Amino acid sequence: MTTPFLPFALPEIGEEEIAEVVNALRSGWVTTGPKAKQFEADFASFLGGGVEAIAVNSATAGLHLGLEALGVGPGDEVITTTHTFTATAEIIRYLGADPVFVDVDANTLCIDVNAVEGAISPRTKAIIPVHFAGRAADMGPLLAIAQRHGLKVMEDAAHALPTTSGGKLVGTLESEVTVFSFYANKTITTGEGGMLVTRNAEIARRARVMRLHGINRDAFDRFTAKVPSWYYEVVAPGFKYNMTDIAASMGIHQLKRAYAFQKKREQLAALYDEAFAGLPIVCPPKAANGDVHSWHLYVIQLDGSVSLGRDQFIERMFEQGIGCSVHYIPLHLHPYWRDNFHLTPEMFPVSQKIYERTVSLPLFTRMTANDVARVVAAVKVALR
Ligand SMILES: *Cc1c(COP(=O)(O)O)cnc(C)c1O
């Protein structure tokens, strides 16, 4: 008898999502239209705090639009963490600016706020923290540094729905822009998709224009009453980053389940925590007191006392039918970033050490307590 393979992640798509997608398909309106508009309105009211939400076809697109709207360009520097997905940094290069990478804090696995201060130069324009695994970065001190130095902050919240920092939902903090991801394995999904959120009307206006070819919708709306609807004005060489109504149809219903999903993930994470007590495993950092952790990922580290290598551990898990992953291969190890920005592991001792010992275990809402028990049993065998 063989047990089925337990994947590292799986989306949970319900009948409501399916019915809404079918409704969009039958309506004849498949690209950006009423569903995308509704998803944006729902998302803004989900977060509250008077934010505007702009739906895009990926978080990468949203991060690009956000940084563009902040006025970042050639010659500028943007500080971010090495311990992230390449999308966080590649959008800095899209704009011809240079990323300046800093290490992470071992207690949060998020950007080391003290290191940020030391990385600021006269060219620094912005900071992009990442809420790693769904645990908020240390936003209070980071926002204070940004304010002291006149820098903009854009949060990479790809993992962070719903996450709170200081009791406030990520997306409603005092940063300029926050971007969420709805990629297939994220906490809610539209297949591919993202949401740019801001309270700054000027940034919102610019992002809306640049999201769709640099077409000025204000001009369009202003004149639609007077001239035929074919009229529009292009005011910049924009991008093609709009979200389709097919994707938004999923998003509308995924968003309604965001808190239920978070609760489920939190319960699964607690089961892991409990089971790993006493094992040579470093459990993931908890949220700060009273804050919500979205638990996008459950990231362990093999303790220094374990002689088994990380790669071997993952292999042994795979042999037992368990899918694992690694978050992340830090950017300083990837050829493009390493060679062009002269990065070495010695510059990022915390990230490097974590990378060598880190494993992300399966964590998704359709997992059962039994699945967790299977993973735990496999971990024990692998460590033996
Ligand atoms: C997934 C992810 C992104 C990119 O999201 P997409 O929607 O796939 O573009 C960016 N940053 C981080 C940290 C991510 O995990």
Side-chain angles (χ1 to χ4, degrees), residues 342-364:
H342 315 293
L343 310 176
T344 65
E346 292 72 33
M347 294 162 76
F348 311 96
V350 179
S351 171
Q352 182 66 28
K353 179 161 175 268
I354 293 165
Y355 167 63
E356 287 166 10
R357 307 296 285 168
T358 196
V359 181
S360 301
L361 298 178
L363 183 67
F364 53 93

Side-chain angles (χ1 to χ4, degrees), residues 9-342:
L10 266 185
E12 179 167 340
I13 313 290
E15 289 307 317
E16 286 89 353
E17 285 90 326
I18 292 167
E20 198 77 42
V21 168
V22 170
N23 180 282
L25 295 176
R26 292 221 162 97
S27 77
W29 200 287
V30 289
T31 188
T32 312
K35 308 280 192 200
K37 208 174 168 95
Q38 188 190 331
F39 186 33
E40 288 179 336
D42 291 353
F43 204 88
S45 68
F46 177 92
L47 292 180
V51 298
E52 290 188 65
I54 296 160
V56 286
N57 58 12
S58 73
T60 308
L63 290 164
H64 185 193
L65 290 176
L67 208 60
E68 200 274 343
L70 290 175
V72 169
D76 292 334
E77 288 177 354
V78 178
I79 299 171
T80 193
T81 158
T82 187
H83 212 79
T84 187
F85 184 55
T86 194
T88 313
E90 77 193 36
I91 54 104
I92 300 168
R93 297 294 303 132
Y94 287 1
L95 294 161
D98 293 322
V100 174
F101 297 103
V102 298
D103 209 347
V104 286
D105 180 334
N107 297 316
T108 64
L109 309 186
C110 296
I111 197 163
D112 180 344
V113 176
N114 297 318
V116 168
E117 188 116 51
I120 294 171
S121 86
R123 290 168 58 198
T124 309
K125 194 90 174 232
I127 308 168
I128 310 179
V130 178
H131 303 297
F132 182 85
R135 192 236 185 255
D138 206 357
M139 290 304 291
L142 188 78
L143 288 163
I145 288 172
Q147 191 166 35
R148 202 155 62 239
H149 294 270
L151 306 175
K152 311 289 189 193
V153 174
M154 175 169 75
E155 297 167 68
D156 180 338
H159 302 179
L161 188 81
T163 288
T164 67
S165 170
K168 286 188 192 163
L169 276 173
V170 165
T172 67
L173 309 180
E174 296 306 314
S175 60
E176 272 73 25
V177 184
T178 303
V179 180
F180 297 91
S181 174
F182 312 131
Y183 180 66
N185 70 359
K186 297 286 160 62
T187 55
I188 72 169
T189 184
T190 61
E192 300 279 359
M195 193 72 80
L196 182 157
V197 167
T198 183
R199 225 186 259 116
N200 180 316
E202 192 48 39
I203 290 173
R205 192 199 57 79
R206 178 68 180 180
R208 283 206 179 88
V209 167
M210 296 306 281
R211 170 177 63 174
L212 198 66
H213 304 295
I215 290 172
N216 189 339
R217 283 281 150 195
D218 294 341
F220 181 80
D221 294 340
R222 196 149 20 107
F223 291 112
T224 40
K226 291 182 185 151
V227 303
S229 61
W230 51 263
Y231 186 76
Y232 61 88
E233 288 178 356
V234 173
V235 297
F239 310 105
K240 185 67 199 297
Y241 283 166
N242 54 302
M243 176 183 277
T244 68
D245 264 23
I246 299 170
S249 295
M250 290 176 70
I252 288 165
H253 295 281
Q254 288 275 293
L255 182 64
K256 288 179 183 159
R257 306 166 76 187
Y259 279 113
F261 284 168
Q262 186 278 337
K263 188 109 285 169
K264 181 71 195 283
R265 287 175 175 276
E266 187 176 80
Q267 285 164 357
L268 295 168
L271 289 177
Y272 275 140
D273 281 349
E274 198 182 341
F276 294 150
L279 290 185
I281 279 175
V282 181
C283 289
K286 306 280 180 294
N289 235 347
D291 270 326
V292 175
H293 189 317
S294 74
W295 290 107
H296 165 52
L297 300 171
Y298 190 87
V299 175
I300 62 166
Q301 292 166 60
L302 302 181
D303 188 81
S305 64
V306 178
S307 59
L308 185 75
R310 186 269 319 277
D311 299 0
Q312 263 178 302
F313 177 89
I314 290 177
E315 215 170 282
R316 287 189 184 180
M317 293 296 284
F318 183 80
E319 283 162 10
Q320 296 176 84
I322 311 288
C324 293
S325 191
V326 169
H327 295 87
Y328 286 95
I329 305 166
L331 299 185
H332 65 258
L333 295 179
H334 289 288
Y336 172 74
W337 300 113
R338 182 192 64 206
D339 298 344
N340 287 283
F341 297 89
H342 315 293

